[in-house]
Amino acid sequence: MNGTFLDLPQMLGAAGTVRLPGSKSISNRALLLAALASGETELRDVLLSDDTERMLEALRALGVDVVQQSATVFRVVGSGGRFPVRQADLFLGNAGTAFRPLTAVLAVAGGDYRLTGVARMHERPIGDLVEALRQLGADLRYAGSEGFPPLLIGSPVADGSDLVTLRGEVSSQFLTGLLIALPLRRGRTTCVEVLGELISKPYVEMTLQMMARFGVEVVREGWQRFTVVAGSAYRSPGVVEVEGDASSASYFLALGALGGGPLRVEGLGADSIQGDVRFADALAMMGAQVSSGSNWLAAAAPATSSGHARLRGIDLDCNAIPDAAMTLATLALFADGPTTLRNIASWRVKETDRISAMACELRRFGARVEEGADFIRVFPPTPAPALLPAVVDTYDDHRMAMAFSLAALGVPLRIKQPEVVAKTFPEYFARFAEVTQPVPVLAIDGTSASGKGTIAQRVAQALGWHYLDSGALYRLTALAAERAGVACDDAGRMATIAAELDVSFSSGAILLAGDAVDEAIRSEEISRAASRVAALPEVRAALLFRQRAFRRPPGLVADGRDMASVVFPDAVCKVFLSASLEMRAKRRLKQLIEKGIAANMSDLLQDLRERDERDSQRSVAPMQQCADAELLDTTDLTIETAVAQVLAWVSKLPNKG
Ligand code: DC
């Protein structure tokens, strides 16, 4: 695991329009059906993501002629049901929508194939599908553990059964794969009987519709028996337009419900063939205002006479919308009461054990969560809005990253391994940024004794914004280290101390482990130590999220050395304060005399010179004036004049929140 992360600031609101990427489920089905059909197919609005890449690679490895004509348009020359390459080693990543149907298709068509995936794919069960295919006469062997990929595929025996039974409770993709493969049995009529309850029915419905588009009608009796008659064969319909992804749409509709909205997604409408489009109904049950047209859906916050009402907690059977239900789980953090999502046992065998992953990460925000074999119940933290800033693990699961991004409507958070979204939506966070409005930050950087602390506090007061004294965090780290007897240059232990600082800034006093330390952190000794501590990259990294978590509505004024360059590079206003060395030494001398501490000018000049040198020469986050920062020299300015100047800059901003 590498250590990538994305810090999302808290958002004031969300609204706008998002053009959705193509549906993963439809893209991978369409690619495979086009490859199996006779004739050429043009596929439009195909999703480009890890999962579809795996399918494209596999089809090319099987000798299928697939040409990318433009960003999202592919031309597939059908192989008429027989792949040209009869022997291949296929790596299918963690793409269930590639692994399951390719297993079925290759096992029925026959050849000499080896199918592998990532480690997690080798933990996801496939035994029920293998059993069903063996009834048809397929030659399938497990290359690793019994019941799980990787798989070895040979050629089927001729006298397999024409009636197969398949358990329906584990994954609907088993039935999807089997059905897609049956027309390859040419002269045989095959009937599949589903044992037990079939889960995720809308995905099977989608499979049947797509097969019909390619000329194969499956005869079905309820959700129990499915028959493909002899002589069925796939024929290209010419052009297939892929709908926008309904699961991907759920995050933006949820954003609209949480962030005011309206938020409109384009690329699919209420008549979509994707089951997850029903997420919109669940959102409406929670109180959101939902609307739709032929090729769009939109959501806005619940209507009230004043402001936005909170969402309502719901109790819902989510069997038909297993993926979009993850979006409901994080929305539950914002509801006025508990939310129970039922009938989601399939979550346990997805990209990760999603029930336990969800429960664990929701708790980090302060929620109480109950979980069972097939349900999750979320009690939002009270009183609202009481979410805690949190660091979220994503378990190599794209939906964990996307679902938790919604928490930014209530609290700042860090998402680890955000790149997992590439599985189905590589551009997710770019689209997210386009429709969300972060809490504004005013960054005030500058040298020691340039007046930043006083000016920043007064500006914060005038604006009614929060205030972050980032230098205090370095001072607190130095003090905590001194109290723990840790040497300032022990980077590893210093980073741990910084990460675990037990500090509170409540009601004007700074408390370290419950102890008032306002005075102690301002001593000359701690000032010197803080400057050394601040040069350690490990300490700066450990304090980064803690600083960003101060960014709460309606806004934040942050002072320090790297507020504009590192901590809040997206600050709406950046100011760099300076003053002559002599004036700064004079100010410091005055402060010390007021405190009754003996000091002399030449020592102070020397000290400030050294500290400037260290702060501006260190290898990480050196003090500097950013190119987009306003420079304010306070040498000859009163505090009042300096504050007025900063406020004037802020008032000129088009969008200061
Ligand atoms: O602003 P201050 O004097 O309280 O800062 C204490 C020390 O911490 C100082 O040596 C500079 C360092 N610092 C930093 O490196 N980055 C910040 N954002 C704030 C302070």
Side-chain angles (χ1 to χ4, degrees):
M1 279 276 172
N2 58 21
T4 59
F5 60 82
L6 174 69
D7 288 342
L8 291 179
Q10 185 170 350
M11 301 296 170
L12 292 175
T17 301
V18 171
R19 176 87 207 159
L20 293 166
S23 152
K24 169 189 73 164
S25 303
I26 297 177
S27 293
N28 268 355
R29 281 169 176 75
L31 284 167
L32 180 56
L33 291 170
L36 292 172
S38 53
E40 287 186 24
T41 310
E42 182 177 304
L43 302 173
R44 297 183 186 157
D45 296 327
V46 173
L47 171 67
L48 296 179
S49 75
D50 288 352
D51 280 9
T52 55
E53 274 301 325
R54 296 295 83 74
M55 178 62 95
L56 284 164
E57 281 166 12
L59 294 177
R60 287 184 172 129
L62 291 166
V64 178
D65 185 5
V66 184
V67 181
Q68 185 169 9
Q69 294 187 310
S70 66
T72 58
V73 178
F74 287 79
R75 189 177 53 80
V76 181
V77 182
S79 60
R82 197 180 155 79
F83 292 126
V85 176
R86 313 297 295 169
Q87 183 173 21
D89 215 328
L90 305 179
F91 172 74
L92 299 168
N94 201 6
T97 54
F99 207 106
R100 281 68 178 267
L102 277 169
T103 295
V105 162
L106 295 173
V108 168
D112 182 7
Y113 302 108
R114 187 181 143 85
L115 271 52
T116 60
V118 298
R120 173 64 185 168
M121 184 52 99
H122 297 173
E123 293 169 2
R124 299 173 69 182
I126 197 161
D128 290 321
L129 176 59
V130 168
E131 276 316 305
L133 289 164
R134 282 176 176 164
Q135 294 170 50
L136 291 175
D139 171 21
L140 276 157
R141 278 154 295 136
Y142 297 110
S145 312
E146 192 76 8
F148 300 87
L151 297 177
L152 297 172
I153 298 176
S155 289
V157 296
D159 60 350
S161 166
D162 293 329
L163 174 66
V164 295
T165 54
L166 174 73
R167 281 210 309 147
E169 294 120 334
V170 177
S171 168
S172 67
Q173 285 176 3
F174 299 160
L175 181 57
T176 281
L178 200 53
L179 292 173
I180 288 177
L182 293 184
L184 306 189
R185 298 187 88 220
R186 303 273 168 212
R188 310 280 285 262
T189 292
T190 319
C191 176
V192 183
E193 201 171 298
V194 176
L195 305 177
E197 199 209 335
L198 176 63
I199 63 163
S200 313
K201 295 184 183 76
Y203 286 99
V204 174
E205 181 81 49
M206 177 196 293
T207 302
L208 299 179
Q209 291 207 29
M210 301 279 309
M211 287 172 67
R213 284 278 282 143
F214 282 85
V216 172
E217 294 288 343
V218 177
V219 182
R220 74 181 178 98
E221 294 159 47
W223 295 102
Q224 243 51 61
R225 286 167 70 88
F226 299 82
T227 304
V228 173
V229 298
S232 299
Y234 293 120
R235 286 185 315 277
S236 167
V239 175
V240 173
E241 308 225 0
V242 176
E243 287 184 0
D245 194 286
S247 314
S248 299
S250 72
Y251 310 110
F252 294 102
L253 296 175
L255 279 178
L258 291 174
L263 219 156
R264 180 176 157 120
V265 292
E266 293 183 348
L268 88 163
D271 58 350
S272 163
I273 66 167
Q274 298 169 73
D276 269 358
V277 74
R278 297 274 76 82
F279 168 83
D281 301 339
L283 201 55
M285 276 174 73
M286 293 184 94
Q289 304 181 73
V290 176
S291 50
S292 64
S294 68
N295 199 33
W296 60 271
L297 300 168
T304 53
S305 44
S306 58
H308 306 142
R310 297 193 73 186
L311 294 171
R312 283 192 295 273
I314 55 172
D315 187 324
L316 191 67
D317 182 324
C318 294
N319 193 271
I321 54 166
D323 285 350
M326 291 187 65
T327 315
L328 296 174
T330 50
L331 270 177
L333 287 172
F334 295 86
D336 61 358
T339 286
T340 306
L341 307 177
R342 300 181 191 278
N343 211 354
I344 52 169
S346 67
W347 277 22
R348 297 221 180 258
V349 294
K350 295 283 173 104
E351 281 79 342
T352 183
D353 176 342
R354 286 178 167 169
I355 294 185
S356 106
M358 255 297 162
C360 177
E361 302 309 305
L362 286 167
R363 288 185 187 118
R364 297 190 198 276
F365 292 87
R368 186 159 72 78
V369 186
E370 293 171 359
E371 60 167 297
D374 66 348
F375 77 91
I376 191 165
R377 184 174 294 125
V378 184
F379 297 84
T382 50
L387 299 186
L388 304 172
V391 178
V392 174
D393 278 312
T394 48
Y395 304 74
D396 215 1
D397 183 349
H398 55 136
R399 299 210 184 284
M400 287 293 285
M402 294 189 281
F404 274 100
S405 68
L406 304 179
L409 266 296
V411 76
L413 74 154
R414 170 169 290 185
I415 296 181
K416 290 200 200 163
Q417 262 84 53
E419 65 279 3
V420 294
V421 300
K423 188 170 198 286
T424 52
F425 199 162
E427 299 289 304
Y428 178 73
F429 286 110
R431 296 290 89 74
F432 180 93
E434 284 163 11
V435 294
T436 48
Q437 185 197 355
V439 167
V441 176
L442 164 59
I444 302 186
D445 290 303
T447 54
S448 299
S450 59
K452 20 178 201 56
T454 314
I455 293 167
Q457 282 183 68
R458 296 221 189 156
V459 168
Q461 209 167 21
L463 292 170
W465 288 9
H466 298 279
Y467 167 63
L468 164 63
D469 170 6
S470 63
L473 291 172
Y474 293 97
R475 293 170 178 274
L476 284 158
T477 304
L479 181 64
E482 186 196 77
R483 292 187 172 176
V486 171
C488 273
D489 52 2
D490 184 342
R493 292 182 70 194
M494 287 305 299
T496 308
I497 286 176
E500 292 173 357
L501 273 186
D502 174 10
V503 53
S504 112
F505 289 85
S506 53
S507 59
I510 303 180
L511 303 179
L512 181 63
D515 224 14
V517 293
D518 298 73
E519 288 285 312
I521 60 166
R522 303 285 159 200
S523 75
E524 288 303 290
E525 185 197 347
I526 291 298
S527 296
R528 270 190 297 275
S531 168
R532 280 201 298 279
V533 164
L536 300 172
E538 295 84 352
V539 169
R540 303 199 76 85
L543 291 176
L544 186 57
F545 182 62
R546 196 185 276 267
Q547 295 173 76
R548 289 177 171 164
F550 278 81
R551 187 175 186 175
R552 307 303 294 262
L556 174 70
V557 179
D559 94 51
R561 304 292 188 289
D562 62 343
M563 296 299 97
S565 57
V566 175
V567 183
F568 303 109
D570 65 336
V572 288
C573 182
K574 300 178 176 180
V575 176
F576 192 83
L577 295 182
S578 70
S580 71
L581 191 65
E582 289 68 27
M583 179 55 84
R584 292 191 285 134
K586 253 199 237 166
R587 289 175 185 164
R588 176 88 3 121
L589 185 66
K590 183 163 167 267
Q591 276 174 356
L592 292 173
I593 289 169
E594 279 168 10
K595 283 198 220 162
I597 300 171
N600 70 66
M601 257 319 250
S602 69
D603 285 357
L604 285 174
L605 279 168
Q606 175 66 11
D607 211 47
L608 279 174
R609 224 179 264 123
E610 282 173 14
R611 219 178 297 166
D612 281 357
E613 172 87 3
R614 213 167 13 233
D615 289 347
S616 54
Q617 297 305 315
R618 65 181 174 227
S619 61
V620 284
M623 175 176 68
Q624 55 173 311
Q625 184 195 341
C626 284
D628 53 349
E630 306 276 4
L631 178 64
L632 186 60
D633 186 330
T634 65
T635 310
D636 300 318
L637 299 183
T638 61
I639 299 278
E640 289 69 27
T641 321
V643 168
Q645 174 60 73
V646 175
L647 287 172
W649 281 324
V650 174
S651 71
K652 269 201 250 138
L653 297 170
N655 203 353
K656 67 176 196 292

